[in-house]
Amino acid sequence: KNEVEQSPQNLTAQEGEFITINCSYSVGISALHWLQQHPGGGIVSLFMLSSGKKKHGRLIATINIQEKHSSLHITASHPRDSAVYICAATPNTGNQFYFGTGTSLTVIP
Amino acid sequence: ETGVTQSPTHLIKTRGQQVTLRCSSQSGHNTVSWYQQALGQGPQFIFQYYREEENGRGNFPPRFSGLQFPNYSSELNVNALELDDSALYLCASSSTPGSLGYTFGSGTRLTVV
């Protein structure tokens, strides 16, 4: 069983739709990260959360520590949002990330 | 610009060969971690280096080895390549092992034929 589980694996949306990607984790964490990976492979960090909620433009990330659950929301989705979104946890012990398998998002014009 | 540069971007090798992948970290980033990402999967931790010493290792065989140099560059070496080694290899650097602020490189796409 993976330490970090994401859903859905694949998501197709119409431009303008509100999108939610979910992440659950089973380890104690010091931070939860949402990352964006484009087809070329490069990873960009979107958010790093340890509690509450963060917002950046049309992106919102929330975390519920008690339920060990985080969500990434995209409002007014756009085709340029098409990418793989990865949830990653930094555990309380150890120095590595635990990654989810990613959610492949396609936004259709 | 991410501040972390990986080379080469793409590479094709034959089964049984050896490969060296390179990562140039941001100045001041003493910690580098390497990850293997198979197609359709999340990245898997290979190992981490801190101040030129291995500082943690994932579930990868000894034919995966690394080096870190004083100039913030590092290498991932893979011997006796297998077809399953075909993947995207990512490096991520930070100032210390416990730092939560990592910067990822764009990765090296390795294909083993």
Side-chain angles (χ1 to χ4, degrees), chain B residues 2-106:
Chain B
T2 65
V4 177
T5 305
Q6 289 189 245
S7 63
T9 54
H10 296 84
L11 194 56
I12 299 175
K13 286 286 191 178
T14 303
R15 190 172 51 182
Q17 283 188 312
Q18 179 266 341
V19 70
T20 297
L21 310 182
R22 293 180 174 83
C23 174
S24 177
S25 303
Q26 290 183 207
S27 178
H29 277 200
N30 295 313
T31 305
V32 65
S33 300
W34 285 89
Y35 293 86
Q36 180 196 65
Q37 187 178 19
L39 198 62
Q41 301 294 318
Q44 297 292 315
F45 176 67
I46 303 175
F47 45 55
Q48 182 186 82
Y49 275 78
Y50 173 59
R51 291 186 173 176
E52 303 163 47
E53 298 285 334
E54 190 176 287
N55 187 49
R57 189 179 183 93
N59 190 26
F60 280 80
R63 59 189 184 85
F64 285 78
S65 63
L67 284 171
Q68 187 185 28
F69 303 102
N71 65 350
Y72 307 113
S73 67
S74 62
E75 292 180 351
L76 164 65
N77 298 289
V78 188
N79 293 323
L81 283 167
E82 301 176 0
L83 297 179
D84 285 349
D85 296 333
S86 296
L88 179 71
Y89 288 85
L90 293 159
C91 75
S93 73
S94 68
S95 55
T96 62
S99 172
L100 301 179
Y102 277 82
T103 302
F104 283 88
S106 296

Side-chain angles (χ1 to χ4, degrees), chain A residues 39-59:
Chain A
I43 289 179
V44 175
S45 177
L46 299 174
F47 295 104
M48 183 172 67
L49 293 162
S50 53
S51 65
K53 171 179 158 178
K54 286 191 176 180
K55 185 176 189 290
H56 181 69
R58 295 180 294 106
L59 301 177

Side-chain angles (χ1 to χ4, degrees), chain A:
Chain A
K1 185 182 186 302
N2 290 335
E3 291 83 357
V4 177
E5 301 276 357
Q6 271 184 254
S7 64
Q9 274 192 300
N10 296 284
L11 185 55
T12 301
Q14 288 292 134
E15 184 173 356
E17 282 187 7
F18 180 81
I19 289 163
T20 296
I21 301 170
N22 294 301
C23 174
S24 297
Y25 54 92
S26 58
V27 294
I29 66 168
S30 54
L32 191 289
H33 305 253
W34 282 101
L35 310 169
Q36 182 189 57
Q37 186 173 35
H38 281 279
I43 289 179
V44 175
S45 177
L46 299 174
F47 295 104
M48 183 172 67
L49 293 162
S50 53
S51 65
K53 171 179 158 178
K54 286 191 176 180
K55 185 176 189 290
H56 181 69
R58 295 180 294 106
L59 301 177
I60 303 167
T62 64
I63 189 168
N64 184 317
I65 300 293
Q66 287 72 32
E67 294 184 5
K68 294 189 174 179
H69 181 269
S70 176
S71 293
L72 175 69
H73 307 284
I74 304 176
T75 61
S77 59
H78 190 276
R80 65 173 173 265
D81 297 327
S82 298
V84 174
Y85 292 85
I86 302 174
C87 168
T90 307
N92 285 330
T93 58
N95 300 319
Q96 61 167 297
F97 285 115
Y98 290 113
F99 289 90
T101 54
T103 296
S104 180
L105 171 65
T106 303
V107 181
I108 300 170

